[in-house]
Amino acid sequence: MGVIFRKYMKPRFFLFILSCILLGAPQQSKAQFWKKLFGTEEKKKSKKKPATKPKEKPAVEAGKKKRKTLEYPASKVKTRYRIDVLVPLYLDELVQNNKVTFKDRKVPEKAVTGLSFYEGIKLASDTLTALGYNADIFIHDITQKGLSPEELVKSSALNESDLIIGALQSSQIKEIADFAKKNQINFISAISPSAADVKDNLYFTMLQPTLEKHCERIKEAAVKKHGNKNILLLYRTNNSVDSVAAGYTLQNDEKTFHKILWNKAPKRSELEHLFDSSKENVIIMPVVDNSFAESIVQQLSSWFPEHRFEIYGMPSWKFISTLRKSEAYPNIAVYFTSPFYYDLTTSAAQTLASNHRKQFGGRMGEMVFRGYEVLCWYAYLLQRYGTIYNARQSDNKAAPFTKFEIKPQWNQQQHFLYQENEHLYIYRYQSGSFVVNAL
């Protein structure tokens, strides 16, 4: 009875847990993390393309075509469920000959996200056991030989699964999503904001909203508060991801905003006529690259200290450290969206932190929360509604921190694409302090 926690890994995993995780893994470089999520690495010889309207828009638009009704098979209610968790732990690299390969008790950056996510999954399994859930949870280290997503599918290792949770990168998603569709098994993509060209898949759900969704919602927030007559759009096209973000922001609003192209930094004299020192100057800045975005904010603050600015940016801005300095940008309020906010002062967060210290030690990062809540919530949906719980995902009361809003996404031709979490918070930073509200 209860939750059985199993690992499809080599025996030395236990040495790895004791000698590595219990030391407390440091947090991954945040800028690098968002680069990986949004794919901001660029090929040196690739040509830069201007902002264009994306081919597909997974959002609801008025049209002549009628959307089809989503039809799922009957749910299977079981006395015990199997949940498979796919997570990159890099065990073969980090532990060799029964010894850890890294020095100074510092886990390599590439392994931190997976380890933290695993810690959250493990803590969630303890919670589910205490609640009397009946589940078998299998952990697959997808970096090990024979356990890549492609190999797991080919080996039939996931055939008996009732739910697949994946902490996968975009290139690994399609294989599992296709398998999930074919076998009518729900697949939760827990950390990637990429849809990986998945279409017409009733069983694929993204918890990390796409970049397009962030651009839509930050634009809506700015227009709702300030109207759309006096908003400036500051963008660039000589960076691939920033160019795409600009295209998303301009969708259906090409003529709404006064546009400032910042491929090359303009002179102060070229900008001063655009700003008014007697009122707030509102700017939407779809720039994902943190360093570049930070340099623009610094420039505007330095050039126009007597002006007040409200700047709406991207979710990656959460990792701009200067926003948390009280002396930085006193005349600028910065807004950005994020699907997650974990208030460490709540009793639930404090309980989780206490359990984490006892079991793993070290500092608890965001990925611990992410792993914890995705397993807790989806195990609850399985337990209450069976294997096909999809029409019941509005029941989010068992999600301990984030009240997920899972919504179907459609392209412009009204063809169904996948399910996506649309729950977003908006952060507002000024003079080192911040407030968070749900959108």
Side-chain angles (χ1 to χ4, degrees):
M1 299 294 288
V3 174
I4 297 178
F5 195 74
R6 302 176 179 178
K7 311 169 185 70
Y8 274 155
M9 306 180 201
K10 299 175 183 177
R12 67 174 182 271
F13 176 80
F14 295 98
L15 172 65
F16 177 68
I17 293 297
L18 291 174
S19 62
C20 171
I21 298 184
L22 290 179
L23 298 177
Q27 293 303 296
Q28 180 182 16
S29 168
K30 293 172 180 176
Q32 186 65 20
F33 172 70
W34 278 97
K35 281 186 178 182
K36 288 179 180 177
L37 282 185
F38 287 118
T40 56
E41 293 92 345
E42 296 179 306
K43 296 180 179 179
K44 293 182 179 179
K45 295 183 180 181
S46 63
K47 293 184 179 181
K48 310 299 186 294
K49 296 181 180 181
T52 57
K53 187 175 183 178
K55 292 181 180 180
E56 294 206 343
K57 179 178 183 295
V60 177
E61 289 188 358
K64 296 181 180 179
K65 293 185 178 180
K66 185 178 180 180
R67 294 173 177 173
K68 69 176 184 179
T69 302
L70 302 183
E71 297 182 357
Y72 288 92
S75 183
K76 297 178 182 178
V77 178
K78 301 181 177 182
T79 57
R80 192 168 196 87
Y81 295 95
R82 169 173 171 150
I83 302 172
D84 289 84
V85 181
L86 282 55
V87 59
L89 295 172
Y90 296 94
L91 178 60
D92 283 335
E93 294 182 39
L94 300 183
V95 181
Q96 296 179 5
N97 298 321
N98 292 328
K99 295 181 180 180
V100 294
T101 60
F102 49 90
K103 299 179 180 180
D104 301 323
R105 299 160 60 107
K106 185 176 182 181
V107 178
E109 181 181 288
K110 68 179 180 180
V112 172
T113 294
L115 286 173
S116 296
F117 191 82
Y118 163 81
E119 291 172 357
I121 292 290
K122 180 60 175 66
L123 292 167
S125 74
D126 296 340
T127 297
L128 296 176
T129 297
L131 292 174
Y133 280 56
N134 295 319
D136 295 313
I137 300 169
F138 289 82
I139 304 295
H140 305 266
D141 177 5
I142 59 173
T143 65
Q144 285 196 319
K145 185 177 181 180
L147 297 181
S148 70
E150 181 180 4
E151 290 168 319
L152 286 171
V153 168
K154 289 181 178 179
S155 68
S156 302
L158 303 176
N159 285 14
E160 300 303 317
S161 184
D162 296 309
L163 173 68
I164 302 170
I165 297 173
L168 306 179
Q169 296 300 316
S170 59
S171 60
Q172 302 168 314
I173 289 173
K174 189 71 161 58
E175 188 82 29
I176 300 298
D178 289 346
F179 170 83
K181 179 180 178 180
K182 179 180 179 181
N183 293 276
Q184 298 183 345
I185 301 170
N186 277 303
F187 165 41
I188 311 303
S189 178
I191 67 172
S192 175
S194 172
D197 201 33
V198 173
K199 302 173 184 176
D200 191 26
N201 193 330
L202 294 169
Y203 304 92
F204 177 60
T205 299
M206 298 175 58
L207 292 190
Q208 176 80 41
T210 59
L211 177 60
E212 177 175 12
K213 188 64 62 180
H214 284 282
C215 291
E216 289 177 357
R217 299 294 291 279
I218 198 70
K219 178 176 66 176
E220 290 173 3
V223 171
K224 182 178 180 180
K225 183 175 181 181
H226 302 282
N228 58 8
K229 294 183 179 179
N230 299 309
I231 297 179
L232 302 174
L233 180 77
L234 196 159
Y235 70 108
R236 66 169 173 169
T237 58
N238 59 0
N239 172 283
S240 59
V241 177
D242 290 346
S243 180
V244 169
Y248 287 145
T249 306
L250 287 169
Q251 280 183 145
N252 305 317
D253 289 294
E254 183 69 33
K255 298 180 181 180
T256 298
F257 309 113
H258 181 89
K259 295 182 282 293
I260 305 173
L261 182 63
W262 201 293
N263 285 341
K264 180 180 179 181
K267 297 178 180 178
R268 184 183 187 282
S269 58
E270 296 175 317
L271 296 177
E272 56 187 356
H273 73 283
L274 299 173
F275 304 134
D276 188 337
S277 61
S278 65
K279 64 179 184 180
E280 291 177 334
N281 298 274
V282 183
I283 300 174
I284 296 177
M285 194 188 301
V287 175
V288 176
D289 186 315
N290 282 352
S291 297
F292 189 71
E294 185 176 26
S295 69
I296 295 176
V297 174
Q298 289 174 338
Q299 194 71 74
L300 291 174
S301 181
S302 174
W303 276 353
F304 305 101
E306 304 303 320
H307 291 63
R308 290 174 295 135
F309 293 93
E310 298 235 329
I311 300 179
Y312 290 77
M314 296 287 98
S316 55
W317 291 21
K318 185 177 182 179
F319 303 128
I320 297 179
S321 59
T322 52
L323 293 180
R324 291 180 283 279
K325 296 181 179 179
S326 59
E327 70 276 11
Y329 328 128
N331 60 324
I332 296 179
V334 170
Y335 300 80
F336 56 80
T337 50
S338 175
F340 306 105
Y341 170 62
Y342 301 109
D343 185 353
L344 296 176
T345 66
T346 64
S347 59
Q350 290 178 354
T351 298
L352 182 61
S354 176
N355 292 336
H356 181 270
R357 282 193 300 271
K358 293 175 183 177
Q359 191 163 158
F360 299 107
R363 186 163 65 94
M364 185 175 68
E366 181 175 300
M367 282 298 162
V368 177
F369 283 98
R370 301 270 290 274
Y372 182 84
E373 67 179 357
V374 65
L375 180 55
C376 283
W377 184 40
Y378 278 99
Y380 161 80
L381 291 177
L382 279 177
Q383 190 90 348
R384 182 163 187 183
Y385 302 111
T387 57
I388 306 300
Y389 53 74
N390 304 64
R392 307 290 189 141
Q393 290 184 90
S394 60
D395 183 357
N396 59 16
K397 59 177 173 289
F401 303 106
T402 304
K403 298 309 175 186
F404 297 102
E405 298 174 31
I406 309 300
K407 304 289 185 182
Q409 305 299 312
W410 312 79
N411 66 12
Q412 290 180 315
Q413 290 72 44
Q414 303 305 302
H415 296 152
F416 175 74
L417 298 174
Y418 46 80
Q419 303 276 0
E420 180 182 348
N421 171 36
E422 295 189 3
H423 178 83
L424 286 173
Y425 295 97
I426 187 164
Y427 285 65
R428 182 186 187 275
Y429 272 86
Q430 186 166 22
S431 299
S433 62
F434 71 97
V435 294
V436 183
N437 292 296
L439 279 176

